């Protein structure tokens, strides 16, 4: 029908616009408007994947698997140290997350 972004840069420009609108909605405090704008961002992201020849659903599945793998790794490290997750500060977990990412890169 011709109602299509011409190239990836057009989609990225639209994503930037939609992210600004989402930020405004979040700051407004309107949950309904925020949900609508989040939907718009997701829609544009799926179209970006399509333009790039990437299956967005599969990319999300892989991301979820990566998140779980890294989280299980940091969880295991803290258990070995005798430190329950409930006792940790966000900074401790963030540092451990960064270490998990570094370890993955090392073995790729």
């Amino acid at each position: 029908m011709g109602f299509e972004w011409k190239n990836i840069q057009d989609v990225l420009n639209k994503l930037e616009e939609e992210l600004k609108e989402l930020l405004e909605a979040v700051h407004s405090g309107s949950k309904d408007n925020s949900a609508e704008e989040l939907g718009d961002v997701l829609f544009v992201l799926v179209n970006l994947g399509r333009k790039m020849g990437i299956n967005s659903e599969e990319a999300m599945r892989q991301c979820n698997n990566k998140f779980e793998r890294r989280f299980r790794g940091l969880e295991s490290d803290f258990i070995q140290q005798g430190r329950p997750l409930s006792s940790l500060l966000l900074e401790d977990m963030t540092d451990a997350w960064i270490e998990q990412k570094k370890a993955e890169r090392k073995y790729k």
Side-chain angles (χ1 to χ4, degrees):
M1 294 284 146
F3 191 58
E4 174 69 75
W5 289 292
K6 291 180 180 157
N7 55 54
I8 290 173
Q9 188 57 53
D10 289 345
V11 183
L12 291 170
N13 292 342
K14 185 63 174 177
L15 177 60
E16 187 176 344
E17 174 189 323
E18 293 298 346
L19 285 169
K20 287 178 185 175
E21 291 177 7
L22 175 60
L23 186 58
E24 290 170 5
V26 168
H27 286 281
S28 78
S30 169
K31 188 173 182 177
D32 289 341
N33 194 23
S34 295
E36 180 180 340
E37 295 301 337
L38 178 60
D40 290 349
V41 168
L42 293 171
F43 181 81
V44 173
L45 285 171
V46 169
N47 275 284
L48 178 61
R50 183 178 56 82
K51 277 288 196 191
M52 297 171 69
I54 296 170
N55 180 315
S56 296
E57 186 176 353
E58 181 58 29
M60 190 70 233
R61 191 175 295 113
Q62 290 174 7
C63 179
N64 285 336
N65 290 339
K66 178 176 62 176
F67 178 88
E68 183 176 356
R69 183 177 60 249
R70 288 177 180 173
F71 189 83
R72 297 283 179 226
L74 74 83
E75 183 180 43
S76 175
D77 289 349
F78 284 122
I79 289 171
Q80 288 176 4
Q81 296 170 15
R83 299 172 67 192
L85 293 180
S86 60
S87 71
L88 301 173
L89 299 173
L90 177 58
E91 292 79 16
D92 296 325
M93 294 183 87
T94 300
D95 290 344
W97 185 265
I98 292 168
E99 290 305 313
Q100 290 297 315
K101 286 175 66 172
K102 286 179 185 176
E104 279 190 2
R105 286 188 199 122
K106 183 177 178 180
Y107 294 107
K108 279 191 175 183

